[in-house]
Amino acid sequence: MIHALTPVLHVDRIEPVLPFWVDRLGFTPVAQVPHGDALGFVLLQRDGATLMYQARASLADDVPAALGDGAGHSAGLYVDVTDLDAVARALADVELVVPRRRTFYGADEIGWREPGGHVVLFAQDVERAPGAGA
C-alpha cells in the first residue's frame, strides 16, 4: 500500500543545512526550487534515501494552513546506516545531542543536531557492526 515515506523538514533557511547533508554525508540535491533570493525547497538523495526541506516562507506562500498555529513543529530523523563510525567521523565537530550508546533493541546509536535544528539519530544494527559476530 505505501511505497515510500519521505520526511519534509521545515526550516527558516535551507542553505545552512546543505553542507551537513551534501558535504559531510554525500547526499545529492536532485531538485531545488527558489523562493525569492533563497532556496524555497530542496530534495536530497543518497543510496535510496530521500529527504526534503522547505523554507517556512515558501510553505507560507504555498500551503499556509500547513504552518498551523505558528508555534512551530519539530521532527527528528532516525537513519539506519551500515557504517556508524564513518558517520561519526564526518560529523565529529557538529553539535552532539545523543552520545553514542547501545540500545536494548540491538542498535549502536549516536545523534547530532543538524543546522536546521532537527535531531538526526544515526543507528547501526549491532550485528552489522564491524567486528560483530563470532
Side-chain angles (χ1 to χ4, degrees):
M1 183 165 104
I2 296 173
H3 177 69
L5 176 65
T6 304
V8 181
L9 301 178
H10 302 127
V11 292
D12 290 329
R13 294 184 57 242
I14 292 172
E15 291 79 0
V17 304
L18 292 178
F20 181 89
W21 294 104
V22 176
D23 300 339
R24 293 173 179 269
L25 297 173
F27 276 72
T28 301
V30 296
Q32 297 183 26
V33 178
H35 184 260
D37 60 355
L39 284 174
F41 176 85
V42 67
L43 184 144
L44 304 165
Q45 291 185 328
R46 179 182 175 178
D47 301 332
T50 301
L51 175 64
M52 299 178 200
Y53 277 89
Q54 186 167 12
R56 287 186 180 93
S58 169
L59 183 63
D61 287 346
D62 185 28
V63 187
L67 289 175
D69 61 9
H73 301 283
S74 178
L77 299 177
Y78 188 88
V79 183
D80 186 15
V81 299
T82 57
D83 189 349
L84 192 59
D85 290 329
V87 174
R89 286 189 299 274
L91 300 177
D93 61 344
V94 174
E95 179 190 354
L96 184 66
V97 177
V98 180
R100 197 161 185 166
R101 65 187 184 186
R102 291 277 173 115
T103 68
F104 71 91
Y105 46 87
D108 187 10
E109 299 178 340
I110 188 169
W112 291 270
R113 185 174 313 281
E114 54 83 45
H118 304 95
V119 174
V120 184
L121 189 69
F122 294 87
Q124 180 175 354
D125 184 347
V126 171
E127 293 189 16
R128 285 194 323 240

